[in-house]
Amino acid sequence: MNKVSYLGELEHMLLWTVLRLGDEAYGLGVRDHLEEVAGRSVARGSVYVTLDRLVKKGYLESWLGDPDEQRAGRARRYFSVTAEGKAALRESRDALVSLWDGVEEAVEEA
Amino acid sequence: MSEVGGGRGNEDGPGREPGERRGWTERLLARVIGSEEAAEGILGDLREESRRRGVGPRSLRYRATVLGLVPRFALERLRRPGTSRAHPRRPLSRLARGHQSTVAALLHDLRVAVRSLARSPGFTAVATLTVALGIGATTATFSVVSGVLLRPLPYPDSDRLVRVHAAWEGNSVGDLSPGEHFDLLDRLQTFDAFGTYGYDSFTMIDNDGARQLPAAFVTAGVLQALEIEPMLGRPFGPGEDGPASTGVVVSHGFWQRELGADSAAVGREIPGQGVTLLGVLPPDFRLPEGVLGGPPVQMIAPLGLDRAQIESHGSHFLLGVGRLKAGVSVEEARADVARVGAWIYDNHAADYGGPMRFDALPLSEALLGDSRPALLLLLAAAVFVLLIACGNTANLLLTRADARRRDYALRAALGASRTRVVRQQFLESLVLGSLGGAAGLALAYAGTAGLVALDPPDIPRLDAVAVDGPVLLFALLASLVTGLLFGLLPAVQAAGRDAADSLREGGRAVQGGRGGERSRRLLVVGQTAFAVVLLSGAILFTRSFEELLDVDPGVDVANVLTARVDTPAARYPDDAEVRAVYGELETRLAARPGVVAAGAVVNLPLDRDLGDMGIELAGQPIPPGGDKPAADWQVVTPGWFDVMGPTLLAGRFLDARDGPEAPGAAVINETMAERFWPGDDALGARFLLGGGSRPGWVTVVGIVRDIRHDGLATPVKPQFFVPHRQFTFWNGGGPVRDMALVLRTDGAPAGFADDVRAVVREVDPRMAVSVVRTMEEIRSAALSRPRFLVSLLGAFGLVALAIAAVGIYGVVSYGVRRRTGEIGVRIALGAGRGRVTRLILGEGARLVGTGLLLGTVGAMLLARTVSGLLFGVSPGDPVTLVLVAVTLGAVALLATWIPTLRATRIDPTRALRAE
């Protein structure tokens, strides 16, 4: 996969959310936060599948926490953005910025 | 979901507390997710979330949520295959560790199997029907085998009962003589009880007229050996079975009908019989031979052997039965009997025509052994039908599996392991097998009723045949084994299939894998081979049966009526009177309009076997230690020859000249003439009847062609006929009292039964007429066992042929469908109809030809094992082989024809577009 593959919308949002949540970024927490910030509900399956895909792409890393009574003794899977993930975010941002360049006025006028 | 305990694997890292056991929805999801870490996180999230919302882990809602995620992950894995294995997949055994969850998973798969079968009712119906035919045939046959062969005889500890018999060298089983009875009784050491008996009849006269009822005459040892416990009264004991004894026991039916079920009748005389009722037998009681069927004996009377009067050991007419001491093996008993037998022979060698062997065998074997090979042959044939049916079903399943390759691939992609796919396949087979088994059981019920209705008199104990516990168990096992058997190949195929390949092929339903193709062909070859074996069996036995029908019995059985009558000593104390009565009957019967001739005989041909008698040939002294000759004896009135029409080869028949005062005369058969007077003219030769029977010395006045008295397929022994008016039994026993009347009629003989009764009434109103039969009926009964065998084998052969034909049709037409494209190209390139026809027919021919070849070899090998049941045809009978090949070829051609036609009509443009 070429480095300059663009991040999808959900991928973007998930990377941001994981960054924002820091040490508390685990599946359900990410979903809750995403709904809060984005103001919309995101399909459960899409969140998990996408998180997994980001791990496989190397943009996120994950580890299991301690078993949790609240979760029937199951652990939380925590995520954090890797250097690669941050790079991808940057690249994506740069690309977007250059894309935005010169069209902002047109958008504002409408 | 609430199952607690049983930790997860340790792949999650050290030091972790085991989490709650996953429910089946959770396990499914975990499988689809693929990575254990991701699964742990996600499942934990789901529980945390549901807890927050107050949704229980066992609720439908929770399960729905979990299952709702499955397609999303499955889709992801299909899109990006091979990227999900962050952790090795957990093996199924660990997944389904707990007993409960295994059951749950099985139940789930079972539901899936049932649903999947319900979705294709056509397939399910055809498969079920095929299996049902196989299981039905097998189960029905097994019910007969179980009822006839496996059920113990109805006596206490019946495995301790043995038949004791004597036999001339070369003969298998023979009866015992009175002298041997006493010697055995005195000297046997391994027996608790020993006795001998014979069957006869007695005449019962009341207001309804006279009837002859079956009776048995036994020594007390028989009652002891069989452990007969009368329902009322007592049996007669030792000392009560001598010549002067008059105490009898009667059947329950006799007691009810004739004695008004009066308990007070016990201890009193039975009216008109001159005997005293000692006991009444329980309702279902039967003497050993009665166990085989036939009318039950109504009276058991003392045999009346007199130790003081034993002169000869040579007259064999008694059946021996004994009960072994507890713990004595049959082998020990045989040695004991042989030891006593050797003593008897050594001390009475002069009484015997040749070396006499004495032996014992289990009573059940003695009674049922004859029917064993035939029944086992039928069972084997039925199992073959079942195997062929299995082949067809396996074929159907393979085809169906091919059509569902994409389905399997998808399941594999969804995380189903091969084991799981195989299990699914097996479950479907088992469900099919059970369905087929249930339907087959219904068929077996009907079939068993049909078999019993065929009522072959020679297959014993048919009344004991029923679909009962052992039979049900057999059907259940057969269903399961069948299901496994025909599920095996498709399952192996499914296991060997590569999911990715199947998906890449784009899931074209018709595209069968190479392996599948090979299995299918193999199955058809196997089916054909089995069908060939069955078919050749059926044809072989049909030919054998035809040979049997062609056997000349030596007498003319057409238009002959027979009936048994008796002249009991109680009413005919004078011997001359007995002879006069038969003469009178013969004259009066012959005078009836429509009656061509009339006579009387002791034993009817093809009905009862003849006994043999030691004889002495004039001018041929037996060298010391040499063999004394013996021949089968028959007593007739002169009219018998006119009625039965044996072929006279030399001399004359017995006639009016051979009166009581005339010199002793005998007619002998061809075999006797050749055996005892080889190269000489037997006419005029003289021989002495054994045992002091009269007329003593007789002169051969005629020679007749052999009569197959003991059975159409039984070799003929030396046989002689002496006149009723001259003959008396050994030891001054008097004339033959119980005879069969025979009359030749000029029309359908059955219509003359009333004439017989009328004439008998005229001669003696108290004389009973029993067992009125035509000779054709007797011949037909003698053929009943081979007929039974042939009709069943024929039916099995036809079913096998039909199933195999369907199999061949299925495979060839499947091949055509699969090669539609290829054939289309051929046609587009100019291949004519003939070419395409040859292509498809050739394919069918190769399969059928291979099967035919293998089957023929198998049939020839197997036929040898049943050659004992064949008559007049060799196991490798070439006519049979040709007939099988032609029949099977014709059927196979028919089965291949339709798909071939379809192939020639393939429209190339359409075929190619479909590609």
Side-chain angles (χ1 to χ4, degrees), chain B residues 152-164 190-194 221 224-227 320-334 337 360-365:
Chain B
L153 296 176
Y155 307 106
D157 297 324
S158 62
D159 53 329
R160 281 167 56 198
L161 293 174
V162 292
R163 152 97 348 123
V164 178
T190 56
F191 286 62
D192 265 349
F194 169 78
Q224 292 172 330
L226 299 179
E227 294 192 354
V321 65
R323 175 172 290 273
L324 301 184
K325 287 183 172 151
V328 170
S329 73
V330 173
E331 283 314 308
E332 288 164 330
R334 291 184 64 185
V337 169
L361 78 167
L363 187 61
S364 59
E365 207 176 304

Side-chain angles (χ1 to χ4, degrees), chain B residues 39-55:
Chain B
E40 175 80 3
I42 292 166
L43 291 176
D45 281 1
L46 289 173
R47 285 300 289 271
E48 188 179 339
E49 192 182 349
S50 59
R51 189 189 173 91
R52 222 190 268 160
R53 292 186 190 169
V55 175

Side-chain angles (χ1 to χ4, degrees), chain B residues 706-719:
Chain B
D706 286 346
I707 295 170
R708 294 195 173 259
H709 189 101
D710 293 355
L712 291 170
T714 314
V716 177
K717 289 182 285 185
Q719 185 187 342

